[in-house]
Amino acid sequence: MAADYSPAALLEAETDRLCGRCLDAVDAEDDRFEAAKTIAPMLGAHWRDDHATFGFWTPQLLESGVPPEDVSLELITPTEPVDLSGEPSTVSVRHERVPTRRTGEFTWAAVSGVRPGTRDRLGTLYRLVYPDDDGGTETIGDPLAYSLPFGAYAPPELYDVDRLDSERDDRAYFEAFGTDGERIETTDHEGLPRVEPATNLLEIHPGTATESGTLAGLTRRFREIGRKKRAGEPLTPAERNFDGYDGVQLMPIAPITEGDYQPDGFRIEETTPDAGRATVTLCRPELINWGYDVVVYGFGAINPAILGTGRPDELVDFIATLHTLPEPMRVVFDVALGHADTGAVPLLSDEYFQGPGMYGQELEYTQPTVRAILLELQRRKMDWGADGIRVDGAQDFTNWDPETESEWHDDEFLAEMDAVTQTVAGTEYRPWMIFEDGRPWPEEDWELASTYRELIREHPHAFQWGPVTFAHNTPAILTFWARKWWRVREVAEMGGQWISGVANHDTLRRGAQVEVGEEWNATQENPYLAETLPETIESAYNNPAANVLFYAFLPGVPMEFLNATMRAPWDFVRDTDDTWNVKVVGEAAYFVDWRVPADRFDDPAHFTRLKDLGFETREDLQEFVHALASTVELTDYDLDRMAEILSTLSPPIADGEPTAADLEAFALAWMRDVADYCNLSNWTDEQDSDRTAFDRRVRQFRHDRPWLRHDLREDDVFGRRHPADGTVLYYGLRRAPDGSEDLLFVANMEGQPATVTPTELLDATVGGWKRALSTPGLEEPIAELPVELADSEAVVFSRRRQ
């Protein structure tokens, strides 16, 4: 046993002070929500120089009638080093319990003899324990934990976050907010600096962005880019896809649900209570998930599956790396608190939930303490050092009104989210606010009725995801740019505070869910983009003309999804769902058509698990998943009936006679194979130098002209050629507000080649126009002469006035 630590002991006086502060908060506020907002920051585990304080909201103990004296704080402190980056390990620990104190619905303890986690060592694990009626033990975890190294279903770790904050490498970045020395722009908002919007954003899924699938892997990538830029060395084509942005939006990095496929992250093997010792097996989870299946529990912590070291420092290192690049980048967190996966039910008390909903469990936002804790979880997540917050599914923050039997949008809660401030490196600031809100979604007419402006009106500094960025955009389908013209036109007129572009984590996966075929009423892919479906969808979501449109002409903040920029596949990947996994695969059936050419499938490195199940050819897999998709709908997702129907096709799986268990095994193999297939390491060496160089020039064009972010003015022009005559041709003319520059834009968004004279098309005056930007392969265009534009070709001319 480690000699430098005394046995754990309750600090009576300090525990009494915790109870007193809790009572004072309740007595000082008539409003339960305001009282809960005062108490919430005290909850969780906090290291205080020589001891720790622990606070839990425990309404379930009152409801079950558990006496206060029956509740203990269980403490598990390793007595030997623990390798958090490797295989499961069995280690010796101090296994102790100390008493607690209860104040109303809250349980408190201040304890000495515990150890905080640091960059180099695992800290004390903790949880509440009490006896159940059957002679066993019940446990209560900590929803406000800072570290969950073994997953949401294992005990959390006491962590020294103050030490981490004091040692972060980007302290100067935050300390300079609101001064002449700041590295990114902020503006004063009610006495605090608010981070100004980025010029453009790169959305990244940490689990597939690098071979390691970790934040450490991303950090290494950006550090190398920074090193090369400081040294004046050229970037590789793949590295260019990470460059030229001043903002990165990480897909959700909160702890997620776990299925039965995963081993237990924590298990007590043997214990000697009298001696205060035990042996435990610890396992860092290896989970595949797109990030949105959050359990709310531990939301302020980081999903350990994307921490190669198992240490929260890994996230801070990533953020600090981006903040200290030669051209600093903002970090935006994707905060998904609009619902919880059903896996949250065993982790949280019943007070957190309204009941089952579309995505698992609806949260009870009207419960005062739940409301306060959710806001505290947001604050703790952002205090890792994020510059901006993207609120996922803001239209999902709803409550049920039994009188009207309808849902109502909890915009007051969204206003509370907007009011949360961050404190990093001693600097308090307000983050850049971004809302995803497509209300009245999910009503059937949402695509027509959504304005994407409700929250901008309420919060004039905020941004929203714009209509061409929202979920159901499929630019690989013929006539997309004609059908979406009215929405694109809205971007021009009012998109200055919209996130724009066509590629994000939702649109890219939905694009590969579209059924294609030769029937007269089947969806028709755009034949002008490429000759094959995989090349078509790659070109659609990394489209040169679309990039020029959003970067060099339209207002707003363009966003790209890294997998789309790399022309790599992406799908709804997760091996954490043992309930709906087969249905999810059915919905992704056309992924094979769109994303898996035969040569890719035949590569021994890909789809190894599915091949082991008997799918030797792409055609075998394609036929089976198409049939699977049909049986999902036909049987209303009855796995036994599905297996019976599929057996008539004699599929390769299970010698042609699959069972429900075989379908689940197939779905698990699919998820893991597709996740491996989507990893960008498979596409790193295939990046085209000319194309990535062009994409980088387009991003720089935007940075050089910050005025483009704002809405078009009355004397600007944006139009579409009528009649189409086989080509969707967009064109426009914008003038810099200071009169220094005019921009003339023409693009063939889709269709047959078209020959136009740009100045005539726009009725623009001739003379002085110079090509500023044109897509690769386009001959030297002249504004006053005919220019032939093929599908996805675009050109921008500039005329300087001063």
Side-chain angles (χ1 to χ4, degrees):
M1 185 176 295
D4 56 337
Y5 282 92
S6 303
L10 183 73
L11 300 175
E12 300 279 357
E14 183 60 32
T15 302
D16 288 343
R17 278 192 286 271
L18 288 172
C19 295
R21 289 174 58 195
C22 179
L23 286 173
D24 289 345
V26 173
D27 293 341
E29 299 288 351
D30 294 331
D31 186 292
R32 289 181 61 200
F33 173 53
E34 292 300 322
K37 283 203 295 184
T38 300
I39 296 170
M42 300 164 56
L43 298 175
H46 304 271
W47 178 246
R48 308 296 188 192
D49 294 330
D50 60 355
H51 70 279
T53 63
F54 298 87
F56 300 81
W57 181 45
T58 52
Q60 63 268 54
L61 296 180
L62 296 182
E63 182 178 348
S64 301
V66 178
E69 59 271 19
D70 283 358
V71 181
S72 301
L73 180 66
E74 183 179 42
L75 301 166
I76 299 157
T77 306
T79 58
E80 58 184 295
V82 179
D83 181 7
L84 297 177
S85 62
E87 296 296 319
S89 55
T90 300
V91 298
S92 297
V93 298
R94 293 163 50 200
H95 187 202
E96 302 164 292
R97 292 183 179 181
V98 298
T100 62
R101 299 285 185 270
R102 187 185 301 172
T103 303
E105 295 183 330
F106 299 93
T107 299
W108 306 96
V111 182
S112 62
V114 289
R115 185 173 74 193
T118 66
R119 180 185 293 271
D120 302 315
R121 71 182 181 194
L122 181 69
T124 297
L125 307 180
Y126 65 95
R127 60 188 176 184
L128 293 181
V129 295
Y130 61 95
D132 62 20
D133 294 335
D134 299 322
T137 301
E138 293 286 345
T139 63
I140 297 177
D142 178 12
L144 290 104
Y146 286 108
S147 178
L148 289 165
F150 309 111
Y153 299 87
E157 174 193 14
L158 170 66
Y159 205 80
D160 189 352
V161 292
D162 290 339
R163 184 272 318 164
L164 179 54
D165 182 72
S166 68
E167 295 176 357
R168 62 185 306 141
D169 291 337
D170 58 351
R171 288 186 63 84
Y173 173 92
F174 291 100
E175 291 168 348
F177 277 7
T179 73
D180 293 338
E182 61 185 12
R183 302 202 72 205
I184 61 166
E185 186 179 358
T186 65
T187 55
D188 181 81
H189 184 168
E190 297 180 354
L192 291 177
R194 181 180 287 281
V195 176
E196 283 289 277
T199 303
N200 59 341
L201 280 173
L202 177 64
E203 186 183 28
I204 297 179
H205 176 246
T208 56
T210 64
E211 185 173 10
S212 70
T214 64
L215 289 171
L218 273 175
T219 300
R220 289 190 291 270
R221 173 59 60 90
F222 279 105
R223 281 179 176 169
E224 177 63 7
I225 290 171
R227 184 197 67 77
K228 285 186 173 183
K229 297 188 77 169
R230 290 185 180 95
E233 298 177 16
L235 301 182
T236 67
E239 287 171 338
R240 288 194 201 115
N241 291 323
F242 291 80
D243 189 40
Y245 305 91
D246 59 357
V248 162
Q249 177 180 301
L250 291 177
M251 290 174 66
I253 56 173
I256 54 176
T257 189
E258 300 176 20
D260 290 340
Y261 311 126
Q262 284 80 28
D264 292 336
F266 170 86
R267 186 172 64 252
I268 296 179
E269 303 293 351
E270 56 180 305
T271 181
T272 53
D274 293 341
R277 295 182 176 87
T279 301
V280 300
T281 296
L282 304 171
C283 177
R284 185 175 72 89
E286 295 183 6
L287 307 172
I288 296 167
N289 197 280
W290 67 333
Y292 291 95
D293 297 320
V294 302
V295 288
V296 175
Y297 177 94
F299 189 88
I302 303 117
N303 174 8
I306 61 170
L307 295 176
T309 62
R311 305 286 75 201
D313 304 65
E314 197 169 317
L315 173 60
V316 174
D317 290 346
F318 170 75
I319 294 170
T321 296
L322 268 62
H323 285 169
T324 56
L325 287 172
E327 296 159 343
M329 301 174 73
R330 297 161 179 80
V331 177
V332 176
F333 283 173
D334 196 339
V335 173
L337 283 172
H339 51 79
D341 187 89
T342 299
V345 172
L347 295 170
L348 299 169
S349 65
D350 293 344
E351 281 76 4
Y352 280 88
F353 307 113
Q354 292 185 31
M358 182 179 298
Y359 299 114
Q361 294 293 316
E362 301 290 345
L363 296 176
E364 182 55 273
Y365 302 103
T366 61
Q367 211 290 341
T369 307
V370 171
R371 198 174 182 87
I373 287 176
L374 293 176
L375 294 171
E376 176 64 12
L377 289 173
Q378 172 193 323
R379 184 188 68 79
R380 293 191 188 190
K381 174 65 72 177
M382 296 291 291
D383 272 358
W384 293 112
D387 303 274
I389 172 174
R390 182 255 186 185
V391 179
D392 175 66
Q395 74 277 338
D396 297 330
F397 290 78
T398 59
N399 294 293
W400 178 255
D401 185 346
E403 293 186 4
T404 63
E405 295 187 346
S406 62
E407 297 276 356
W408 54 275
H409 291 283
D410 199 340
D411 287 340
E412 289 186 8
F413 184 77
L414 296 179
E416 292 281 354
M417 294 184 77
D418 178 68
V420 173
T421 63
Q422 312 309 135
T423 302
V424 181
T427 300
E428 186 178 9
Y429 65 98
R430 301 183 191 275
W432 176 30
M433 290 297 302
I434 306 170
F435 293 99
E436 181 204 32
D437 189 288
R439 67 183 73 178
W441 189 91
E443 293 181 14
E444 292 184 1
D445 67 342
W446 72 271
E447 286 200 79
L448 283 174
S450 297
T451 68
Y452 304 93
R453 301 200 62 78
E454 279 86 354
L455 296 170
I456 292 174
R457 295 188 188 102
E458 291 292 322
H459 311 284
H461 54 271
F463 276 59
Q464 289 189 222
W465 274 31
V468 187
T469 308
F470 211 66
H472 297 288
N473 291 323
T474 52
I477 303 306
L478 193 64
T479 75
F480 169 82
W481 292 105
R483 289 180 288 108
K484 286 292 183 179
W485 164 251
W486 66 287
R487 284 300 197 186
V488 177
R489 179 70 194 183
E490 286 182 341
V491 175
E493 294 173 347
M494 62 186 75
Q497 286 173 252
W498 278 345
I499 306 299
S500 64
V502 297
N504 64 65
H505 66 274
D506 259 336
T507 57
L508 195 60
R509 74 179 179 92
R510 289 186 184 276
Q513 292 178 353
V514 176
E515 181 178 359
V516 292
E518 298 179 355
E519 296 82 3
W520 69 271
N521 63 341
T523 302
Q524 174 64 57
E525 71 276 9
N526 183 351
Y528 301 102
L529 283 171
E531 294 182 357
T532 68
L533 283 181
E535 292 171 329
T536 296
I537 198 167
E538 290 172 5
S539 301
Y541 287 99
N542 177 235
N543 184 298
N547 288 348
V548 173
L549 171 68
F550 287 109
Y551 272 92
F553 190 78
L554 291 179
V557 173
M559 183 180 74
E560 302 174 53
F561 181 39
L562 182 57
N563 288 60
T565 305
M566 298 276 280
R567 296 200 168 194
W570 168 252
D571 195 31
F572 186 21
V573 291
R574 57 180 186 175
D575 69 353
T576 54
D577 182 355
D578 47 20
T579 301
W580 301 104
N581 50 2
V582 179
K583 184 177 182 180
V584 170
V585 173
E587 292 172 349
Y590 288 91
F591 180 88
V592 179
D593 302 63
W594 284 104
R595 286 302 195 178
V596 188
D599 61 328
R600 289 281 188 183
F601 185 86
D602 293 340
D603 187 329
H606 299 318
F607 303 102
T608 56
R609 301 169 184 85
L610 291 172
K611 289 172 183 174
D612 287 343
L613 291 179
F615 294 94
E616 297 180 355
T617 69
R618 175 185 181 273
E619 289 69 28
D620 289 340
L621 180 62
Q622 183 182 40
E623 180 181 9
F624 182 73
V625 291
H626 285 189
L628 179 70
S630 299
T631 60
V632 169
E633 184 174 355
L634 181 65
T635 66
D636 194 25
Y637 195 48
D638 182 327
L639 287 177
D640 290 322
R641 180 63 178 148
M642 288 170 61
E644 181 181 350
I645 294 173
L646 290 168
S647 66
T648 63
L649 302 177
S650 299
I653 187 173
D655 295 324
E657 296 183 2
T659 64
D662 292 322
L663 295 185
E664 291 179 340
F666 168 81
L668 178 60
W670 168 281
M671 289 295 184
R672 291 177 172 171
D673 275 351
V674 168
D676 289 345
Y677 183 64
C678 291
N679 190 287
L680 295 180
S681 63
N682 297 315
W683 273 260
T684 296
D685 295 334
E686 299 185 12
Q687 299 305 296
D688 180 84
S689 182
D690 290 341
R691 178 180 58 80
T692 57
F694 167 75
D695 289 345
R696 180 62 182 86
R697 288 195 300 273
V698 171
R699 294 193 283 272
Q700 189 59 48
F701 189 94
R702 186 70 164 210
H703 283 281
D704 292 341
R705 296 164 177 83
W707 57 270
L708 284 172
R709 204 213 84 192
H710 303 287
D711 298 341
L712 270 65
R713 301 185 303 165
E714 290 185 3
D715 58 344
D716 292 331
V717 177
F718 183 48
R720 169 187 159 200
R721 191 184 69 175
H722 293 282
D725 196 22
T727 307
V728 181
L729 199 73
Y730 287 4
Y731 58 84
L733 179 65
R734 290 196 69 174
R735 300 172 177 86
D738 63 1
S740 61
E741 182 182 24
D742 297 339
L743 295 179
L744 192 159
F745 157 81
V746 183
N748 181 343
M749 302 305 298
E750 61 177 315
Q752 302 169 7
T755 300
V756 297
T757 301
T759 53
E760 292 181 0
L761 184 66
L762 281 140
D763 195 23
T765 58
V766 299
W769 294 106
K770 295 182 179 180
R771 182 190 64 154
L773 197 63
S774 60
T775 50
L778 191 64
E779 297 296 330
E780 291 286 339
I782 298 175
E784 295 85 357
L785 296 179
V787 179
E788 183 179 74
L789 298 173
D791 186 298
S792 304
E793 289 189 334
V795 60
V796 178
F797 299 95
S798 170
R799 180 167 60 189
R800 295 287 179 177
R801 292 183 174 272
Q802 295 179 4

